[in-house]
Amino acid sequence: MKCRKCKAPAEIDLPSHNTACCRACFAEYFTGQVDKAIRHHGLINPGERVLVALSGGKDSLSLMLELSRQGYDVTGLHVDLGIPVSSAAARAKVENFCTARGLKLKVVELIKEGLPIPDVKQYIHRPICSACGKIKRHWFNRVALTDGFQVLATGHNLDDEVARLFANTLRWDAGYLSDQGPCLAAESGFARKIKPLYRLTEFETACYAFLNGIEIHTAPCPYSSGATFTGHKKLWSDLEYTSPGTKIAFYDGFLKRGRPAFAQVDKDQGRAVAPCTTCASPTSTGVCGVCRLKIAVTERRAADPDRQTDPDRQ
Amino acid sequence: MKCRKCKAPAEIDLPSHNTACCRACFAEYFTGQVDKAIRHHGLINPGERVLVALSGGKDSLSLMLELSRQGYDVTGLHVDLGIPVSSAAARAKVENFCTARGLKLKVVELIKEGLPIPDVKQYIHRPICSACGKIKRHWFNRVALTDGFQVLATGHNLDDEVARLFANTLRWDAGYLSDQGPCLAAESGFARKIKPLYRLTEFETACYAFLNGIEIHTAPCPYSSGATFTGHKKLWSDLEYTSPGTKIAFYDGFLKRGRPAFAQVDKDQGRAVAPCTTCASPTSTGVCGVCRLKIAVTERRAADPDRQTDPDRQ
Amino acid sequence: MITVFIEPDNETLHFERLKTVLLLQQRLGLRVNDALVIRGDMLLTPDCRLQDGDEIRIRKVISTG
Amino acid sequence: MITVFIEPDNETLHFERLKTVLLLQQRLGLRVNDALVIRGDMLLTPDCRLQDGDEIRIRKVISTG
């Protein structure tokens, strides 16, 4: 198989785009797709500072590298969840990556913040993945706000976005369908949220990470029983295999013809947003959701006999 | 397995509705779903005459039987396509069914109308399934118009509707998404078009046909290489198996929250409609599409040396 | 021995030792609502037991035209 | 003999006589863009020929968390 562009031996076969690439032309292709996303949807304006959420996986590290290569002013943010073994491994991958490439990195340690995920799992009776996601988003928003970033970038790829859009379309969730997309405008004290990899598949970000020698964290989270959208990803893999190009056509078609229809539908009125009285994050509930989580965890941990230093039991 | 309602031995397991039925309770369930569709979407008003399109398959014959049992004034319409062997077999099933049940039936013979499908296949260079569908719809509309039927009912079931909706959603076809549904209002000289079986799956109409001793035409059309939406039906079978109830939730959700969003989008302006100068069917092109097809077939047939009585060759 | 006639394929299969309709469906790669399972003039649910000598009709329901 | 290491399952498999990457993908039930196929520091396309003694890494790409 030869590179369609330069006829060198191909390393990457991309039936969805009816093409195949050598590694040099793939790098160009990848850059072009990210650039197209940024220009087409106004994701980053000149001079803006971009905070990139870094989990340590292939998508987030690839995004960080590509944005820095395109000359954007990027800083990574890693949230250390405080899960034994797993969190230290993920954090090491992120730190090594940023150090080796000379990229700026901030780390939030949930243990220091009094809200490590193992405690949330132990003391809060709700699905841990949902609480953990909420806490991570809280910190991304909070660091963007307090450190003056205009833009918050995440590594969501086309497969993530299509699976999520599909789930929301199955339910015809009008609220969600009115604003899903690669750019969520800044609002009520939150930074603009962008997904510059939305045109690239999981396979393509994995190729990019490999070809750039990025060491990634691949171990699944010990608390997760599997990906939320795995079932739909399989279905979409079948659709894409049968009709190459279906994924991007579905997502682009939604942005062009689906979302505008739902955007006309009246949105529910936003409630008044004010700074959280504890942490200053924008919230409509006085004390924000994560600060309330922290209060609950702190109280229950203090009341837990197994977590107190009991001289009789030592 | 017992009938969830009356505890008799069940014959039909319906995981999508989290239930199982004996045949008596299944008949009630089936009637209830058709009645719900009719009432909820105003499909048939008191005193209206209903023309039911009868192909000879399980869906159309089940629909005819159920509507007649519910007391509606129904007349069947079968279009004899003139395909050797296959059409005679389908027509016999329809005629036997209507005779045995004392139901009114009209038959249009495309051979008599000068437009048998084999000739369309031979002389018209476009996909035969699309031309055949167009011709059948033309005759359903035309008979409804000339014989004074207010309503035209077809046997489309939930699987048909979901597969079609899904195909249109994958493309985000706004025009289609603005008016797909179980009821297309009467307009420009066309009768109201209704799909009273839209809440019932293919499995359920097949059970109904079997339990009512309906003999159905099952041989696939010799000109069709397979169903248009078979690929998507398999996908939906997987989704329904994983999450029972997904099909009807997707379709009902579309009617409640999807379609209204697209209905707000400006529709393309309809062109002026007037009676076809040849057959009086409403058309925006002077002579309607099917009359033009007929002219083309007649001309090409007349010019075809193989179809002329040539004394030298006899 | 159980004799199974498949519609609309018009194929006849024979099986030894199939205890239930569910096992038959699994052998044929069919899910609960992919086909009618008919014995005589009755429909069978997946839990129904099959007997030696049974003649079963499988009527697939996905319409093909 | 071809040695295949599967990530992230951390499983090692051995195959005799597999001529191409495509045949390996089919044996593993993988489609062209389901996984990276790595030999040394190179990615392989489905048409690439495999050689006796090859050590191949399969890196599945669907993210699981």
Side-chain angles (χ1 to χ4, degrees):
Chain A
M1 200 169 273
K2 294 200 181 308
C3 175
R4 189 152 174 212
K5 205 166 162 194
C6 76
K7 311 302 174 199
E11 283 191 71
I12 304 107
D13 182 20
L14 296 176
S16 299
H17 292 268
N18 192 26
T19 195
C21 305
C22 70
R23 62 174 65 194
C25 291
F26 178 75
E28 254 182 53
Y29 159 81
F30 194 94
T31 296
Q33 292 294 325
V34 173
D35 185 52
K36 182 172 179 178
I38 292 174
R39 282 186 297 108
H40 197 76
H41 298 282
L43 300 187
I44 310 174
N45 300 316
E48 288 185 325
R49 295 180 63 224
V50 183
L51 187 66
V52 182
L54 298 182
S55 66
K58 64 187 185 314
D59 300 312
S60 63
L61 298 184
S62 295
L63 172 62
M64 182 74 176
L65 180 59
E66 181 60 28
L67 290 181
S68 74
R69 283 184 175 164
Q70 294 196 17
Y72 293 104
D73 178 358
V74 287
T75 301
L77 175 63
H78 178 71
V79 176
D80 182 330
L81 304 173
I83 300 173
V85 185
S86 155
S87 291
R91 179 175 174 173
K93 288 285 198 311
V94 172
E95 289 178 334
N96 293 344
F97 168 84
C98 290
T99 303
R101 312 265 175 173
L103 297 168
K104 290 176 277 188
L105 173 67
K106 291 171 180 286
V107 176
V108 169
E109 298 180 25
L110 291 187
I111 290 177
K112 280 194 190 154
E113 303 299 339
L115 201 54
I117 297 301
D119 286 3
V120 177
K121 183 173 161 60
Q122 186 172 357
Y123 296 114
I124 302 293
H125 299 293
R126 64 184 247 195
I128 185 61
C129 293
S130 134
C132 181
K134 186 188 175 94
I135 292 167
K136 284 189 287 192
R137 285 190 297 275
H138 169 89
W139 278 104
F140 293 139
N141 280 317
R142 188 159 160 185
V143 171
L145 186 71
T146 56
D147 294 3
F149 291 91
Q150 292 80 35
V151 186
L152 177 51
T154 55
H156 295 93
N157 59 43
L158 180 60
D159 293 280
D160 298 327
E161 289 298 285
V162 162
R164 182 185 299 263
L165 172 59
F166 184 60
N168 285 300
T169 303
L170 283 183
R171 292 196 317 275
W172 293 98
D173 181 328
Y176 189 88
L177 293 171
S178 72
D179 71 1
Q180 172 170 15
C183 184
L184 188 61
E187 202 181 3
S188 309
F190 291 109
R192 183 184 326 128
K193 295 193 179 66
I194 67 169
K195 299 167 183 169
L197 297 185
Y198 90 90
R199 304 187 60 79
L200 292 153
T201 65
E202 211 136 49
F203 176 76
E204 292 163 338
T205 61
C207 288
Y208 184 89
F210 173 80
L211 294 172
N212 286 285
I214 300 176
E215 291 218 20
I216 58 178
H217 180 66
T218 55
C221 173
Y223 294 166
S224 159
S225 60
T228 326
F229 295 126
T230 302
H232 293 165
K233 281 190 177 174
K234 173 73 175 61
L235 178 157
W236 275 93
S237 165
D238 292 348
L239 274 174
E240 184 70 23
Y241 180 76
T242 313
S243 308
T246 300
K247 282 179 197 168
I248 189 70
F250 175 62
Y251 198 76
D252 269 350
F254 166 73
L255 293 178
K256 286 197 194 103
R257 296 179 299 278
R259 193 173 62 174
F262 289 95
Q264 294 190 6
V265 177
D266 280 344
K267 297 190 190 179
D268 53 343
Q269 293 87 324
R271 287 162 294 175
V273 169
C276 167
T277 55
T278 303
C279 78
S281 290
T283 179
S284 58
T285 56
V287 175
C288 80
V290 169
C291 285
R292 282 182 283 130
L293 261 185
K294 182 172 166 180
I295 292 165
V297 167
T298 306
E299 284 177 1
R300 291 172 201 170
R301 188 166 47 207
D304 181 348
D306 292 343
R307 293 288 284 269
Q308 290 161 20
T309 313
D310 180 347
D312 294 349
R313 296 179 70 200
Q314 297 283 331
Chain B
M1 200 169 274
K2 293 198 183 308
C3 174
R4 188 152 175 212
K5 205 166 164 197
C6 77
K7 311 301 174 201
E11 284 190 71
I12 304 105
D13 183 19
L14 295 176
S16 299
H17 292 268
N18 192 25
T19 195
C21 306
C22 69
R23 63 173 67 192
C25 291
F26 179 75
E28 254 182 52
Y29 159 82
F30 195 94
T31 296
Q33 292 294 327
V34 172
D35 185 52
K36 184 172 177 179
I38 293 174
R39 282 186 299 106
H40 197 76
H41 297 283
L43 300 187
I44 310 175
N45 300 316
E48 288 184 325
R49 296 178 63 222
V50 183
L51 188 65
V52 182
L54 298 182
S55 67
K58 64 187 187 314
D59 300 312
S60 63
L61 299 183
S62 295
L63 172 62
M64 182 76 178
L65 180 60
E66 181 59 29
L67 289 181
S68 74
R69 283 184 176 164
Q70 294 196 19
Y72 294 104
D73 179 357
V74 287
T75 300
L77 174 64
H78 178 70
V79 177
D80 182 330
L81 304 174
I83 300 172
V85 186
S86 156
S87 290
R91 180 175 174 172
K93 288 286 198 313
V94 172
E95 289 179 333
N96 292 343
F97 168 83
C98 289
T99 304
R101 312 265 175 174
L103 297 168
K104 290 177 277 190
L105 174 66
K106 291 172 180 287
V107 176
V108 169
E109 298 179 24
L110 291 188
I111 290 178
K112 280 195 190 153
E113 304 299 338
L115 203 53
I117 297 302
D119 286 2
V120 177
K121 184 173 161 59
Q122 186 172 356
Y123 297 113
I124 302 293
H125 299 292
R126 61 187 250 195
I128 185 62
C129 293
S130 135
C132 181
K134 185 188 175 96
I135 292 168
K136 285 189 287 191
R137 285 192 298 276
H138 169 89
W139 279 102
F140 294 140
N141 281 317
R142 187 158 160 183
V143 171
L145 185 72
T146 56
D147 294 3
F149 292 91
Q150 292 80 35
V151 187
L152 176 52
T154 54
H156 293 94
N157 59 44
L158 180 61
D159 293 281
D160 298 327
E161 290 296 284
V162 162
R164 183 184 299 264
L165 172 60
F166 184 60
N168 286 300
T169 303
L170 283 183
R171 291 197 315 274
W172 295 98
D173 180 330
Y176 190 88
L177 293 170
S178 70
D179 71 1
Q180 171 168 16
C183 185
L184 188 61
E187 202 182 0
S188 308
F190 291 110
R192 184 185 323 129
K193 296 194 179 65
I194 67 169
K195 298 166 184 170
L197 298 185
Y198 90 89
R199 302 187 61 79
L200 292 152
T201 64
E202 211 137 47
F203 176 77
E204 291 164 338
T205 60
C207 287
Y208 184 88
F210 173 80
L211 294 171
N212 286 286
I214 300 176
E215 291 217 20
I216 58 179
H217 180 68
T218 55
C221 172
Y223 294 166
S224 159
S225 60
T228 325
F229 295 126
T230 302
H232 294 164
K233 282 191 176 172
K234 171 73 176 60
L235 178 156
W236 275 94
S237 165
D238 292 349
L239 273 175
E240 184 70 23
Y241 180 76
T242 312
S243 308
T246 300
K247 282 179 198 168
I248 188 72
F250 176 62
Y251 198 76
D252 270 349
F254 166 73
L255 294 178
K256 287 197 193 103
R257 297 181 296 279
R259 193 174 60 174
F262 289 96
Q264 294 188 9
V265 177
D266 280 344
K267 297 190 190 178
D268 53 341
Q269 293 88 322
R271 284 162 297 175
V273 168
C276 168
T277 55
T278 303
C279 78
S281 291
T283 179
S284 58
T285 56
V287 175
C288 81
V290 169
C291 285
R292 282 182 283 129
L293 262 186
K294 183 172 164 179
I295 292 165
V297 166
T298 305
E299 285 176 0
R300 290 173 200 170
R301 188 166 46 207
D304 181 348
D306 292 344
R307 290 290 284 270
Q308 290 164 18
T309 314
D310 180 346
D312 293 349
R313 296 180 69 201
Q314 296 285 330
Chain C
M1 174 110 100
I2 291 152
T3 305
V4 178
F5 182 71
I6 318 256
E7 303 176 10
D9 318 37
N10 291 335
E11 197 184 351
T12 304
L13 301 173
H14 300 278
F15 294 97
E16 306 281 346
R17 284 184 302 277
L18 270 179
K19 288 214 169 142
T20 64
V21 168
L22 180 61
L23 291 170
L24 172 59
Q25 289 171 322
Q26 288 172 346
R27 281 287 278 276
L28 298 172
L30 294 170
R31 286 165 179 176
V32 50
N33 287 359
D34 284 352
L36 309 193
V37 182
I38 304 167
R39 182 170 58 196
D41 62 352
M42 299 285 287
L43 293 175
L44 305 183
T45 52
D47 59 314
C48 287
R49 300 192 76 78
L50 297 176
Q51 316 251 334
D52 198 48
D54 269 351
E55 298 187 354
I56 303 291
R57 259 188 302 154
I58 296 284
R59 182 174 293 170
K60 295 183 188 171
V61 301
I62 288 190
S63 59
T64 51
Chain D
M1 173 110 101
I2 291 153
T3 305
V4 178
F5 182 70
I6 318 256
E7 302 176 12
D9 317 38
N10 289 336
E11 199 184 349
T12 303
L13 302 174
H14 299 278
F15 295 95
E16 305 281 345
R17 282 185 302 276
L18 270 178
K19 288 213 170 144
T20 64
V21 168
L22 180 61
L23 290 170
L24 172 59
Q25 289 172 322
Q26 288 172 346
R27 281 286 279 275
L28 297 172
L30 294 171
R31 287 167 179 173
V32 50
N33 288 358
D34 284 352
L36 309 194
V37 182
I38 303 166
R39 184 171 56 196
D41 62 352
M42 298 287 286
L43 294 175
L44 304 183
T45 52
D47 59 315
C48 286
R49 301 193 74 80
L50 297 176
Q51 315 252 334
D52 197 48
D54 268 351
E55 297 187 356
I56 304 291
R57 261 188 301 154
I58 295 284
R59 181 174 291 169
K60 295 183 188 170
V61 300
I62 287 191
S63 60
T64 52

